[in-house]
Amino acid sequence: MSELKRTPLYDLHVELGARMVPFAGYEMPVQYPLGVKKEHEHTRAACGLFDVSHMGQLLLRGPSPAEALETLVPADIVGLPEGMQRYALFTGEEGGILDDLMVVNAGDYLYLVVNAACQEQDIAHLRRGLPEGHEVEGLDRGLLALQGPRASDVMARLCPAACEMVFMQHGHFEVDGIPVWISRSGYTGEDGFEISVPAGQAEALARRLLAEPEVEAVGLGARDSLRLEAGLCLYGHDIDTETTPVEAGLVWAIGKPRRRGGERAAGFPGADLILHQVEAKDHRRKRVGLLGEGRAPVREGAALFDAEGKRIGVVTSGGFGPSVGRPVAMGYLAIEHAEVEATVYAEVRGKRLPMTVSRMPFVTPGYYRG
């Protein structure tokens, strides 16, 4: 077994009393003494600081980086304005999802953030698939996520210019003399900022942020419950190589210019199958939200059944939603059972618990759009 890596904030996590666990090849904080539920609630009410430095940060350079990346993703990258960020998917030849990522148009290059567990394979995939003359560079940087309705109040004191950005905007700034790249985004459903910082200065910046009265350190446990309530996918759980973007409910991540009839239609791996599913709507399963009754959480892997006892799907993420006040989950159902308000039954410890098919997100997003 390979040795676990550590982020630049490892010593700070230990100092703060975090419980460290293996995650995506790293030692990461799952919770702090405050506890998962209170960390979750604090993020929804005020502001949480997350260490997401395990994520892969890459630069893509070359004569036409946007056109080059479009050979590997169905997103509209050519039409992405400078200083803006967009969600994208690496797709495989069979139409499945190899990873999801964020792409920033930084002018003459692209800045990518990919999932930690997929970083090495993503770099190899890029180097193998990009047109000649394009290069991918892995960066040694920390990444902090400041999330919650009071995040802008904190940032207004430390970097007022960053507060002028709207959701999915990106720019280069300074915080306490530290050069940073900031995007107004995150994975909690709240307003907030993701801050890329040179690795050697990540701890100093984290301490500066934690010194603000609104900010508490938050671990992976609450990050998971927050993103689940926000209806956001976790790679390797809700999306994977066996799942197409259409089945996953991510059709919005397929840019209009990349669809049939668009000015740059297709041209990405798996385009024939994916674009056929977009048009024909003949996929057999669909990602849905699920609301439980009572307090018992329904976890990943729970089988889903109809009223007659026929297996019709599976839960891919699940737990108790502190902000919703009841169990929440997402999973895949056979398309004929995926109608909103339908009742299905999740098997938990030999019992079949009723769940209601629900729209997502389960909470109202707080993204700042100006």
Side-chain angles (χ1 to χ4, degrees), residues 307-340:
E308 283 71 50
K310 178 186 175 184
R311 182 167 175 160
I312 55 173
V314 65
V315 171
T316 53
S317 286
F320 189 83
S323 305
V324 181
R326 59 193 292 193
V328 294
M330 66 173 79
Y332 285 83
L333 284 174
I335 200 79
E336 61 270 23
H337 295 279
E339 190 173 340
V340 171

Short mmCIF file of all heavy atoms in Angstrom, two decimals, residues 307-340:
data_model
loop_
_atom_site.label_atom_id
_atom_site.label_comp_id
_atom_site.label_asym_id
_atom_site.label_seq_id
_atom_site.Cartn_x
_atom_site.Cartn_y
_atom_site.Cartn_z
N ALA A 307 -43.18 -0.98 -5.22
CA ALA A 307 -44.15 -1.49 -4.24
C ALA A 307 -44.35 -2.99 -4.35
O ALA A 307 -44.75 -3.65 -3.38
CB ALA A 307 -45.48 -0.76 -4.41
N GLU A 308 -44.05 -3.56 -5.53
CA GLU A 308 -44.23 -5.00 -5.73
C GLU A 308 -42.98 -5.79 -5.34
O GLU A 308 -42.95 -7.01 -5.46
CB GLU A 308 -44.57 -5.30 -7.20
CG GLU A 308 -46.01 -4.99 -7.57
CD GLU A 308 -46.31 -3.50 -7.62
OE1 GLU A 308 -45.54 -2.76 -8.26
OE2 GLU A 308 -47.29 -3.07 -6.97
N GLY A 309 -41.92 -5.08 -4.91
CA GLY A 309 -40.71 -5.78 -4.49
C GLY A 309 -39.70 -6.01 -5.59
O GLY A 309 -38.70 -6.70 -5.37
N LYS A 310 -39.91 -5.39 -6.74
CA LYS A 310 -38.94 -5.52 -7.84
C LYS A 310 -37.83 -4.49 -7.66
O LYS A 310 -38.08 -3.32 -7.41
CB LYS A 310 -39.65 -5.29 -9.18
CG LYS A 310 -38.71 -5.36 -10.38
CD LYS A 310 -39.45 -4.99 -11.66
CE LYS A 310 -38.50 -4.93 -12.84
NZ LYS A 310 -39.18 -4.46 -14.08
N ARG A 311 -36.57 -4.94 -7.81
CA ARG A 311 -35.45 -4.01 -7.68
C ARG A 311 -35.41 -3.08 -8.88
O ARG A 311 -35.41 -3.52 -10.03
CB ARG A 311 -34.12 -4.78 -7.56
CG ARG A 311 -32.95 -3.84 -7.39
CD ARG A 311 -31.68 -4.54 -6.97
NE ARG A 311 -30.57 -3.59 -6.93
CZ ARG A 311 -29.45 -3.78 -6.26
NH1 ARG A 311 -29.28 -4.89 -5.55
NH2 ARG A 311 -28.50 -2.88 -6.29
N ILE A 312 -35.36 -1.77 -8.61
CA ILE A 312 -35.46 -0.78 -9.69
C ILE A 312 -34.32 0.25 -9.67
O ILE A 312 -34.28 1.14 -10.51
CB ILE A 312 -36.80 -0.03 -9.63
CG1 ILE A 312 -37.01 0.60 -8.24
CG2 ILE A 312 -37.95 -0.95 -10.00
CD1 ILE A 312 -38.23 1.50 -8.13
N GLY A 313 -33.39 0.12 -8.70
CA GLY A 313 -32.31 1.10 -8.67
C GLY A 313 -31.41 0.93 -7.46
O GLY A 313 -31.49 -0.05 -6.72
N VAL A 314 -30.56 1.95 -7.25
CA VAL A 314 -29.58 1.90 -6.16
C VAL A 314 -29.26 3.32 -5.68
O VAL A 314 -29.29 4.27 -6.48
CB VAL A 314 -28.29 1.19 -6.62
CG1 VAL A 314 -27.58 1.98 -7.72
CG2 VAL A 314 -27.35 0.92 -5.45
N VAL A 315 -29.00 3.45 -4.40
CA VAL A 315 -28.57 4.73 -3.82
C VAL A 315 -27.07 4.88 -4.03
O VAL A 315 -26.30 3.94 -3.79
CB VAL A 315 -28.90 4.79 -2.31
CG1 VAL A 315 -28.26 6.00 -1.64
CG2 VAL A 315 -30.41 4.81 -2.11
N THR A 316 -26.63 6.05 -4.48
CA THR A 316 -25.21 6.30 -4.71
C THR A 316 -24.59 7.25 -3.70
O THR A 316 -23.38 7.27 -3.51
CB THR A 316 -24.98 6.85 -6.14
OG1 THR A 316 -25.82 8.00 -6.34
CG2 THR A 316 -25.31 5.79 -7.19
N SER A 317 -25.41 8.07 -3.03
CA SER A 317 -24.98 8.93 -1.93
C SER A 317 -26.16 9.08 -1.00
O SER A 317 -27.30 9.24 -1.46
CB SER A 317 -24.56 10.33 -2.40
OG SER A 317 -23.32 10.32 -3.06
N GLY A 318 -25.91 9.06 0.31
CA GLY A 318 -27.03 9.23 1.22
C GLY A 318 -26.58 9.50 2.64
O GLY A 318 -25.47 9.16 3.04
N GLY A 319 -27.45 10.14 3.40
CA GLY A 319 -27.18 10.44 4.79
C GLY A 319 -28.32 11.25 5.35
O GLY A 319 -29.37 11.42 4.72
N PHE A 320 -28.12 11.77 6.57
CA PHE A 320 -29.12 12.65 7.15
C PHE A 320 -28.77 14.07 6.77
O PHE A 320 -27.61 14.49 6.89
CB PHE A 320 -29.15 12.51 8.68
CG PHE A 320 -30.30 13.23 9.31
CD1 PHE A 320 -31.55 12.64 9.37
CD2 PHE A 320 -30.15 14.52 9.80
CE1 PHE A 320 -32.63 13.31 9.93
CE2 PHE A 320 -31.22 15.19 10.36
CZ PHE A 320 -32.47 14.59 10.42
N GLY A 321 -29.75 14.83 6.28
CA GLY A 321 -29.52 16.21 5.86
C GLY A 321 -29.83 17.16 7.01
O GLY A 321 -31.01 17.42 7.27
N PRO A 322 -28.82 17.67 7.71
CA PRO A 322 -29.09 18.55 8.86
C PRO A 322 -29.94 19.77 8.52
O PRO A 322 -30.78 20.19 9.34
CB PRO A 322 -27.69 18.97 9.32
CG PRO A 322 -26.79 17.87 8.86
CD PRO A 322 -27.37 17.41 7.55
N SER A 323 -29.74 20.35 7.35
CA SER A 323 -30.51 21.54 6.97
C SER A 323 -31.91 21.20 6.50
O SER A 323 -32.82 22.02 6.57
CB SER A 323 -29.78 22.32 5.87
OG SER A 323 -28.46 22.62 6.26
N VAL A 324 -32.09 19.98 6.02
CA VAL A 324 -33.40 19.53 5.54
C VAL A 324 -34.21 18.92 6.68
O VAL A 324 -35.45 18.93 6.67
CB VAL A 324 -33.21 18.50 4.39
CG1 VAL A 324 -34.55 18.02 3.84
CG2 VAL A 324 -32.38 19.11 3.26
N GLY A 325 -33.50 18.38 7.68
CA GLY A 325 -34.16 17.81 8.84
C GLY A 325 -34.70 16.41 8.62
O GLY A 325 -35.55 15.93 9.39
N ARG A 326 -34.20 15.72 7.59
CA ARG A 326 -34.64 14.36 7.31
C ARG A 326 -33.60 13.67 6.43
O ARG A 326 -32.69 14.33 5.91
CB ARG A 326 -36.01 14.37 6.63
CG ARG A 326 -36.06 15.14 5.32
CD ARG A 326 -37.47 15.41 4.83
NE ARG A 326 -38.16 14.21 4.42
CZ ARG A 326 -39.30 14.19 3.73
NH1 ARG A 326 -39.88 15.35 3.41
NH2 ARG A 326 -39.87 13.08 3.37
N PRO A 327 -33.70 12.37 6.25
CA PRO A 327 -32.75 11.67 5.39
C PRO A 327 -32.85 12.15 3.94
O PRO A 327 -33.95 12.37 3.42
CB PRO A 327 -33.16 10.20 5.50
CG PRO A 327 -33.93 10.11 6.78
CD PRO A 327 -34.64 11.43 6.91
N VAL A 328 -31.69 12.35 3.32
CA VAL A 328 -31.64 12.72 1.90
C VAL A 328 -30.68 11.77 1.20
O VAL A 328 -29.73 11.26 1.81
CB VAL A 328 -31.18 14.18 1.69
CG1 VAL A 328 -32.20 15.15 2.24
CG2 VAL A 328 -29.82 14.43 2.32
N ALA A 329 -30.93 11.54 -0.07
CA ALA A 329 -30.07 10.66 -0.85
C ALA A 329 -30.20 11.01 -2.32
O ALA A 329 -31.11 11.74 -2.72
CB ALA A 329 -30.44 9.19 -0.62
N MET A 330 -29.28 10.50 -3.09
CA MET A 330 -29.46 10.50 -4.54
C MET A 330 -29.05 9.12 -5.04
O MET A 330 -28.31 8.38 -4.39
CB MET A 330 -28.67 11.62 -5.23
CG MET A 330 -27.18 11.53 -5.17
SD MET A 330 -26.37 12.81 -6.20
CE MET A 330 -26.50 14.23 -5.14
N GLY A 331 -29.59 8.78 -6.17
CA GLY A 331 -29.31 7.46 -6.72
C GLY A 331 -29.88 7.35 -8.12
O GLY A 331 -30.33 8.34 -8.71
N TYR A 332 -29.86 6.14 -8.64
CA TYR A 332 -30.34 5.89 -10.00
C TYR A 332 -31.55 4.98 -9.95
O TYR A 332 -31.57 3.97 -9.24
CB TYR A 332 -29.23 5.26 -10.84
CG TYR A 332 -28.19 6.29 -11.24
CD1 TYR A 332 -27.17 6.63 -10.36
CD2 TYR A 332 -28.27 6.95 -12.45
CE1 TYR A 332 -26.24 7.61 -10.69
CE2 TYR A 332 -27.35 7.93 -12.80
CZ TYR A 332 -26.34 8.25 -11.91
OH TYR A 332 -25.43 9.23 -12.25
N LEU A 333 -32.57 5.37 -10.72
CA LEU A 333 -33.80 4.59 -10.85
C LEU A 333 -34.05 4.28 -12.32
O LEU A 333 -33.73 5.09 -13.20
CB LEU A 333 -34.99 5.37 -10.30
CG LEU A 333 -35.15 5.47 -8.79
CD1 LEU A 333 -36.31 6.41 -8.45
CD2 LEU A 333 -35.39 4.10 -8.17
N ALA A 334 -34.66 3.13 -12.56
CA ALA A 334 -35.17 2.85 -13.90
C ALA A 334 -36.08 4.00 -14.30
O ALA A 334 -36.87 4.50 -13.49
CB ALA A 334 -35.92 1.53 -13.89
N ILE A 335 -35.97 4.44 -15.54
CA ILE A 335 -36.60 5.68 -15.99
C ILE A 335 -38.10 5.71 -15.72
O ILE A 335 -38.68 6.75 -15.39
CB ILE A 335 -36.28 5.94 -17.48
CG1 ILE A 335 -36.48 7.40 -17.83
CG2 ILE A 335 -37.05 5.02 -18.39
CD1 ILE A 335 -35.36 8.29 -17.41
N GLU A 336 -38.77 4.54 -15.80
CA GLU A 336 -40.22 4.53 -15.61
C GLU A 336 -40.63 4.72 -14.15
O GLU A 336 -41.80 4.94 -13.84
CB GLU A 336 -40.82 3.21 -16.15
CG GLU A 336 -40.32 1.95 -15.48
CD GLU A 336 -39.08 1.37 -16.15
OE1 GLU A 336 -38.36 2.11 -16.83
OE2 GLU A 336 -38.86 0.15 -15.97
N HIS A 337 -39.65 4.66 -13.23
CA HIS A 337 -39.95 4.86 -11.81
C HIS A 337 -39.41 6.19 -11.29
O HIS A 337 -39.48 6.45 -10.09
CB HIS A 337 -39.35 3.72 -10.99
CG HIS A 337 -39.95 2.38 -11.27
ND1 HIS A 337 -41.14 1.96 -10.70
CD2 HIS A 337 -39.54 1.37 -12.09
CE1 HIS A 337 -41.43 0.74 -11.15
NE2 HIS A 337 -40.48 0.37 -11.97
N ALA A 338 -38.86 7.03 -12.17
CA ALA A 338 -38.12 8.21 -11.75
C ALA A 338 -38.96 9.48 -11.69
O ALA A 338 -38.41 10.58 -11.56
CB ALA A 338 -36.92 8.42 -12.68
N GLU A 339 -40.27 9.35 -11.74
CA GLU A 339 -41.12 10.53 -11.72
C GLU A 339 -41.12 11.17 -10.34
O GLU A 339 -41.21 10.48 -9.31
CB GLU A 339 -42.55 10.14 -12.12
CG GLU A 339 -43.46 11.33 -12.35
CD GLU A 339 -44.82 10.91 -12.91
OE1 GLU A 339 -44.93 9.80 -13.45
OE2 GLU A 339 -45.76 11.72 -12.78
N VAL A 340 -41.03 12.50 -10.30
CA VAL A 340 -41.05 13.23 -9.03
C VAL A 340 -42.34 12.93 -8.27
O VAL A 340 -43.42 12.84 -8.85
CB VAL A 340 -40.89 14.75 -9.28
CG1 VAL A 340 -41.12 15.54 -8.00
CG2 VAL A 340 -39.51 15.04 -9.84
#
